[in-house]
Amino acid sequence: MTLEELKAQIIEIFHRNRQTPNAYFDESRFLDYLLTPPTSRNNIQNSFKGVKRYHQFIDDVELTLGICFSTADLDRFYSVEQFAKKAKERRGKGRGNKMIIQRRLEEKNNYSVHIVLSIIFIAVIFFLKLHWVSVIVGIGYSIAMWWILSSELRTKRHNKKLKEIINTKK
């Protein structure tokens, strides 16, 4: 696949994951245009909404192209041209992609956040019994746990699917 074909495919994926598909965007900082209105320069990851869109886009690129970006790659901000070059480079590193996905799958889950939130919730229930504050804390706790666990499960599913794609690629 040539660089121009790859660039066209990345732009197609970009439009598919944007808040406002097919709207104008600046190719030199295209990731900022995942949101509407676009974030200020290189600030896409400074909001929950921006992080969600950014990771949806990256996950879609990884699954579509059968590549794995390293953590260092994900911490940089690219123009469309630079991103296409990085994707082409990652496509050429089959062994590197396998190593990255293997590392992702071997990562141990850290349940400290879950434990801390549970202890706080239990303490509030214990001290306040059934009180309007405990009900509000219970709702907040449920929302936080749902958000954290659903994100972890989505990441695990993505990594397993990506491993299958990478292992079937020759």
Side-chain angles (χ1 to χ4, degrees):
M1 183 178 276
T2 68
L3 191 60
E4 287 303 314
E5 292 171 334
L6 197 56
K7 185 177 171 183
Q9 194 169 17
I10 288 169
I11 290 173
E12 178 186 323
I13 296 167
F14 171 71
H15 284 299
R16 198 168 51 218
N17 287 282
R18 287 182 77 183
Q19 192 171 359
T20 309
N22 299 321
Y24 166 81
F25 69 96
D26 180 1
E27 286 194 10
S28 66
R29 59 184 195 105
F30 80 111
L31 293 173
D32 294 326
Y33 287 82
L34 284 166
L35 294 176
T36 303
T39 61
S40 57
R41 190 165 200 78
N42 299 336
N43 281 322
I44 187 71
Q45 295 189 37
N46 288 347
S47 70
F48 289 120
K49 196 174 176 183
V51 167
K52 181 181 176 190
R53 289 267 176 201
Y54 176 76
H55 284 286
Q56 282 176 340
F57 169 70
I58 294 296
D59 289 352
D60 199 358
V61 169
E62 286 183 335
L63 290 174
T64 303
L65 301 178
I67 59 176
C68 262
F69 289 107
S70 68
T71 305
D73 294 337
L74 297 177
D75 288 339
R76 296 199 51 220
F77 295 98
Y78 298 99
S79 68
V80 175
E81 191 73 29
Q82 292 169 326
F83 193 80
K85 286 178 183 175
K86 179 52 79 174
K88 186 170 177 79
E89 176 187 317
R90 295 297 329 154
R91 283 180 64 102
K93 295 185 177 184
R95 188 167 172 235
N97 289 329
K98 287 180 181 178
M99 287 174 26
I100 291 171
I101 195 63
Q102 193 61 40
R103 249 186 269 131
R104 283 185 191 177
L105 290 169
E106 290 173 352
E107 270 181 11
K108 299 291 182 212
N109 289 331
N110 184 354
Y111 293 107
S112 59
V113 173
H114 306 76
I115 293 168
V116 168
L117 288 174
S118 297
I119 290 171
I120 291 170
F121 179 62
I122 290 168
V124 167
I125 296 297
F126 180 76
F127 288 113
L128 297 178
K129 308 289 186 242
L130 187 56
H131 188 271
W132 66 271
V133 174
S134 62
V135 171
I136 292 173
V137 170
I139 292 169
Y141 172 78
S142 300
I143 291 169
M145 292 307 287
W146 171 80
W147 183 64
I148 292 166
L149 292 173
S150 66
S151 174
E152 289 174 357
L153 290 173
R154 190 173 25 261
T155 299
K156 279 187 177 195
R157 274 194 308 268
H158 167 75
N159 288 338
K160 286 180 182 177
K161 197 182 301 183
L162 187 56
K163 182 180 180 181
E164 289 174 16
I165 291 169
I166 288 173
N167 286 337
T168 58
K169 262 177 78 173
K170 300 266 175 173

